[in-house]
Amino acid sequence: MPKCRAPRKTYEALVNLDGIVLLATGNAALVAHDGVVTRPVTGLSPCELALAWRRDDNRPLVRGYVAACVLATSR
């Protein structure tokens, strides 16, 4: 199965029976509808997510995402 880079493509691959997907618990709702079923996987160690962006990228969406990540990880 090719890598899916968007929730819609992941959903389409699942509906077409092209494979399975491992995703974060919080993302399960993006694909769990119209016959797609999600199941929690236990026994896996936590993973890390790295966030990188260009220093000169001042788009509001990018800056907002960075700010949300900083807020979420500072708790």
Side-chain angles (χ1 to χ4, degrees):
M1 180 171 160
K3 290 183 182 178
C4 297
R5 301 187 190 281
R8 183 177 58 88
K9 291 291 185 184
T10 301
Y11 174 76
E12 289 172 4
L14 292 170
V15 170
N16 291 332
L17 303 176
D18 289 333
I20 63 169
V21 64
L22 290 176
L23 48 88
T25 300
N27 292 335
L30 297 173
V31 296
H33 49 87
D34 294 333
V36 175
V37 177
T38 62
R39 297 283 186 255
V41 177
T42 59
L44 298 178
S45 59
C47 62
E48 294 182 11
L49 173 66
L51 176 64
W53 66 97
R54 292 189 322 267
R55 185 176 298 164
D56 63 343
D57 192 338
N58 294 313
R59 290 177 292 171
L61 187 59
V62 171
R63 292 301 174 180
Y65 188 75
V66 171
C69 289
V70 170
L71 179 63
T73 58
S74 65
R75 295 180 188 169

